[in-house]
Amino acid sequence: MSITVNGLDELKKLAGSDLGTSDWIEVTQERIDTFADATGDHQWIHVDPEKAKEGPFGAPIAHGYLTLSLFIPLFTELLDVQGVTTKVNYGLNKVRFPSPVKVGSRIRLVAKLAEVEEVPGGVQITVDGAIEIEGGAKPAAVLQSLSRFYA
């Protein structure tokens, strides 16, 4: 369920709010292979299903940075900021990958809008997020993301 705000003033009022939970998405071997092609990271643990079966996780796993990159499409399910001219990723304060994402797993994002602070021409938001693995004891990723929205 998406929260829609119109403009920076409405966004500021959400500071400290839980943004909810995104839908599940499946991490397929095709998605992993496409990411490997885009980044040049073809390590066998990601792209060789037969060899990965004998590896430490018993199956191919997603790249940690693939999991991290899925934050944006998952996040946009949760918060829609309208009435601004520009939206940019500003960076990350913290990222950890507590659990690998095996091929075929489904993941989702749980997020909180931790902080909204003014910057010249707009606001910067800090989002605390956890990318969960369906049925997993630990999240795939825990992160703190920074984005900027300009009027």
Side-chain angles (χ1 to χ4, degrees), residues 5-49:
V5 296
N6 190 6
L8 301 180
D9 289 335
E10 286 186 22
L11 182 57
K12 291 175 191 176
K13 293 176 186 175
L14 283 181
S17 298
D18 286 327
L19 298 175
T21 304
S22 72
D23 290 333
W24 294 104
I25 62 168
E26 184 178 357
V27 179
T28 63
Q29 187 64 54
E30 179 181 11
R31 186 184 294 263
I32 292 169
D33 292 344
T34 300
F35 187 85
D37 289 342
T39 62
D41 182 354
H42 291 94
Q43 185 184 26
W44 64 269
I45 197 73
H46 307 300
V47 298
D48 186 338

Side-chain angles (χ1 to χ4, degrees), residues 7-8 81-88 121-122 148-151:
L8 301 180
V81 181
Q82 299 181 356
V84 296
T85 62
T86 308
K87 305 172 186 181
V88 295
R148 289 192 171 179
F149 297 85
Y150 295 96

Side-chain angles (χ1 to χ4, degrees), residues 57-73:
F57 306 109
I61 60 169
H63 305 72
Y65 287 117
L66 167 56
T67 302
L68 181 62
S69 73
L70 294 172
F71 170 81
I72 292 300

Side-chain angles (χ1 to χ4, degrees), residues 78-143:
L78 301 180
L79 181 63
D80 179 18
V81 181
Q82 299 181 356
V84 296
T85 62
T86 308
K87 305 172 186 181
V88 295
N89 295 321
Y90 190 69
L92 300 160
N93 284 337
K94 301 174 188 175
V95 178
R96 297 289 182 270
F97 302 110
S99 187
V101 178
K102 293 181 184 180
V103 69
S105 296
R106 294 188 340 148
I107 62 172
R108 69 179 180 184
L109 174 66
V110 177
K112 177 180 181 176
L113 183 55
E115 187 176 3
V116 180
E117 59 187 309
E118 293 195 30
V119 296
V123 299
Q124 177 173 294
I125 66 170
T126 302
V127 175
D128 293 333
I131 297 177
E132 300 179 333
I133 304 168
E134 187 174 37
K138 294 181 184 177
V142 178
L143 60 122

